[in-house]
Amino acid sequence: MQIQFGTDGWRGVIADTFTFENLSLVAQATMDYLHKQGLAGKGLVIGYDRRFLSKEFAERVAAIAAGNGIKTWLSHDYAATPAVSWAVHEKKAGAGVMITASHNPPRYNGFKVKESFGGSARPSTTKVLEQMVAENQAASRPVQALALSEAQASGQVELFDATAPYLAQLGRYVDLELIRSASIKAVVDPMFGAGSGLLPLLVPGIEEIHGAENPSFGGHPPEPIAEHLGELSALVQAGNFQVGLALDGDADRIGAVDETGEFFSSHRIFTVLLRHLYERKGVRGAVVKTVSTTQMIDLLAAKYGLELFETQIGFKHICEMMLEKDVLMGGEESGGLGVKGHIPERDGILMALLLLEAMAMSGKGLRALLEETMDEIGHFHYSRIDLPIDPQAKRQLLERMQEGGITSIAGFTVARHNFSDGFKFIFEDGAWLLIRPSGTEPVLRLYSEAGDPEKVALLLKAARGIASV
């Protein structure tokens, strides 16, 4: 089969496309790549999440690394993706592999590559990996593997703790003593994922729900969006907590619930944290956002006189900018946010701590912090709809959209468009609509933001008509 890397890694349905055989092909190509790039001698870090067979998949990758003569550090237990990325950076390894499908449904698993700088593999790297997989298949390149027990006995594969050094780094980045002394009543939902137990460990007193191991993730994808956080919202609405925090399946994405119990989207989190970093922590630099991210970031960057860059969707594009530029903060709509002074990687746990730090320093809740900013730059409303779409319908939609010719939607005149990643239509008042097929799932995503929630609803309804779904 053809292996393709999406917005972050190669993913597939377990026992369908994500099999030990296909995993072995991708792993062998990865080892060949490391040798070709002169990185094999620096070693490889491997981690895995709590998904079905993740540990076994990770062990298979370690066996192949050993078979290719690459020193390997294999996490002794499940770990958060940012912890594995930090280990790559700290150990100065040639690369890292994380077995996870992130926020995807339980039937999926995935293979994320982390480059030597501790961030998502860049598009140029994943393109080469795809080519090497195809070339190896065409040449019937054998997979070279060493029995894991033999590799461990010889020291070729070494088990290690990915979590402790990472937590130490978080303690250096945020003021944990201030957060602890503020005694903020917080509850976290790690969604049965790899971030379980970490925030309560760092900030005693934080309560946790859904921290047990459950490969079915309670029956829904471990994605921290409104429809999956009903229990978290209810706990805050009941008056038991001042804030609810949520992590995705591998803890590199963040979601939240504000003091009213309302879902606090990644757009709002990005806005609040950008202001916190700039005004309270005095951090300076450029700002990077993806094409589906709120215009509040544009306005806030303009207010501070910060250079703003917009990229395609996928944190790997933000990562590239963080490597090339002096970036204060980068973020995407799906909850992936990264900051200066850490690694060029999204980190849900660090973002949760920064939210708590912002609350502790200001003495205000998340809603109050957001309102404070929106009173200055304008009030905005956002929504997203995810719809299933089969490959044929996706191809037909792309063909229709690429023909262009749309000058108005729902009666609103299109002022300009951005087709760099999907089909984004921007209206005269700054409102926008984005129609874009997912890069990792058979899903069509419709996004919209405007100053009026009714306009958002009208634009999304019109988008469904345009897409014929």
Side-chain angles (χ1 to χ4, degrees):
M1 66 166 286
Q2 183 180 11
I3 299 295
Q4 290 186 313
F5 283 72
T7 50
D8 191 5
W10 163 60
R11 303 180 199 182
V13 175
I14 300 168
D16 180 9
T17 56
F18 201 92
T19 62
F20 280 99
E21 181 180 4
N22 287 336
L23 174 76
S24 297
L25 292 173
V26 176
Q28 182 61 57
T30 302
M31 307 314 152
D32 292 342
Y33 172 82
L34 293 178
H35 277 292
K36 186 176 180 180
Q37 297 296 316
L39 296 169
K42 295 185 176 182
L44 178 71
V45 173
I46 302 175
Y48 57 93
D49 68 4
R50 288 172 124 184
R51 285 177 179 268
F52 179 62
L53 289 178
S54 282
K55 180 180 180 181
E56 289 78 7
F57 288 135
E59 290 175 342
R60 176 60 178 164
V61 177
I64 293 170
N68 284 268
I70 298 175
K71 166 70 179 180
T72 300
W73 294 277
L74 173 64
S75 178
H76 77 287
D77 201 352
Y78 70 85
T81 288
V84 174
S85 296
W86 177 257
V88 174
H89 165 79
E90 188 176 56
K91 291 180 178 295
K92 296 180 173 56
V97 168
M98 179 69 187
I99 301 297
T100 180
S102 188
H103 65 288
N104 287 155
R107 66 184 183 277
Y108 284 80
N109 215 321
F111 182 101
K112 289 184 178 182
V113 176
K114 302 300 176 182
E115 295 201 55
S116 58
F117 44 77
S120 300
R122 294 164 292 184
S124 57
T125 299
T126 55
K127 182 179 180 181
V128 173
L129 286 172
E130 288 173 349
Q131 291 173 342
M132 294 186 77
V133 172
E135 290 168 2
N136 283 355
Q137 283 182 295
S140 299
R141 165 90 158 94
V143 172
Q144 300 170 268
L146 189 66
L148 188 61
S149 57
E150 183 180 342
Q152 287 183 254
S154 66
Q156 193 73 21
V157 172
E158 178 183 332
L159 298 182
F160 84 108
D161 182 356
T163 301
Y166 165 69
L167 296 183
Q169 159 63 5
L170 298 183
R172 291 188 291 268
Y173 199 96
V174 300
D175 191 339
L176 286 176
E177 287 306 314
L178 175 67
I179 295 171
R180 291 164 182 162
S181 64
S183 300
I184 298 167
K185 292 190 294 183
V187 56
V188 59
D189 183 358
M191 307 191 81
F192 303 104
S196 297
L198 298 186
L199 284 170
L201 184 64
L202 289 166
V203 186
I206 289 182
E207 294 195 28
E208 184 176 82
I209 60 173
H210 305 147
E213 185 168 0
N214 182 345
S216 72
F217 300 109
H220 56 68
E223 183 176 14
I225 55 179
E227 52 262 47
H228 301 156
L229 300 180
E231 187 176 342
L232 191 69
S233 294
L235 287 170
V236 179
Q237 286 173 347
N240 299 321
F241 300 98
Q242 297 166 269
V243 64
L245 303 165
L247 307 169
D248 75 335
D250 64 334
D252 64 356
R253 302 187 187 205
I254 176 90
V257 171
D258 67 24
E259 60 267 35
T260 71
E262 182 180 321
F263 177 65
F264 204 74
S265 71
S266 59
H267 302 284
R268 295 175 173 184
I269 293 170
F270 193 171
T271 302
V272 165
L273 290 185
L274 179 56
R275 183 165 191 161
H276 173 62
L277 289 167
Y278 185 91
E279 294 191 2
R280 297 188 191 90
K281 293 180 77 75
V283 188
R284 298 291 183 267
V287 181
V288 187
K289 54 168 274 192
T290 59
V291 69
S292 61
T293 304
T294 177
Q295 61 182 313
M296 289 192 287
I297 299 305
D298 305 56
L299 295 169
L300 205 52
K303 169 184 165 66
Y304 295 141
L306 303 177
E307 191 172 11
L308 178 71
F309 299 95
E310 184 174 275
T311 73
Q312 294 179 324
I313 291 171
F315 200 85
K316 60 188 179 184
H317 301 292
I318 296 172
C319 175
E320 274 196 309
M321 293 301 301
M322 295 180 83
L323 293 171
E324 295 173 7
K325 307 286 184 179
D326 177 24
V327 173
L328 158 59
M329 187 173 186
E332 55 182 350
E333 175 270 343
S334 61
L337 303 164
V339 293
K340 183 177 181 177
H342 188 42
I343 45 177
E345 175 71 294
R346 54 189 170 192
D347 190 331
I349 299 165
L350 177 56
M351 297 309 117
L353 291 171
L354 284 170
L355 286 176
L356 293 174
E357 186 181 63
M359 292 175 66
M361 285 187 174
S362 67
K364 298 176 181 178
L366 298 186
R367 171 62 68 88
L369 288 169
L370 179 69
E371 292 289 339
E372 182 178 75
T373 300
M374 289 202 299
D375 285 344
E376 296 178 8
I377 65 173
H379 288 248
F380 296 89
H381 301 270
Y382 166 89
S383 188
R384 183 183 101 186
I385 298 174
D386 291 357
L387 302 167
I389 187 169
D390 61 56
Q392 182 178 353
K394 177 181 174 180
R395 284 194 298 272
Q396 292 173 345
L397 172 63
L398 290 173
E399 289 171 3
R400 289 201 313 274
M401 297 299 292
Q402 285 163 355
E403 290 174 359
I406 297 176
T407 57
S408 69
I409 299 174
F412 304 108
T413 300
V414 176
R416 62 187 189 280
H417 57 70
N418 178 349
F419 290 177
S420 63
D421 189 1
F423 305 91
K424 185 175 184 179
F425 302 91
I426 303 146
F427 305 92
E428 293 172 331
D429 62 353
W432 56 269
L433 171 71
L434 173 64
I435 301 173
R436 178 185 179 274
S438 167
T440 59
E441 302 171 76
V443 169
L444 177 67
R445 304 197 195 280
L446 309 176
Y447 316 73
S448 183
E449 184 182 53
D452 179 354
E454 293 182 3
K455 184 168 185 175
V456 170
L458 286 171
L459 289 171
L460 288 175
K461 182 179 178 180
R464 295 190 70 152
I466 292 170
S468 301
V469 289

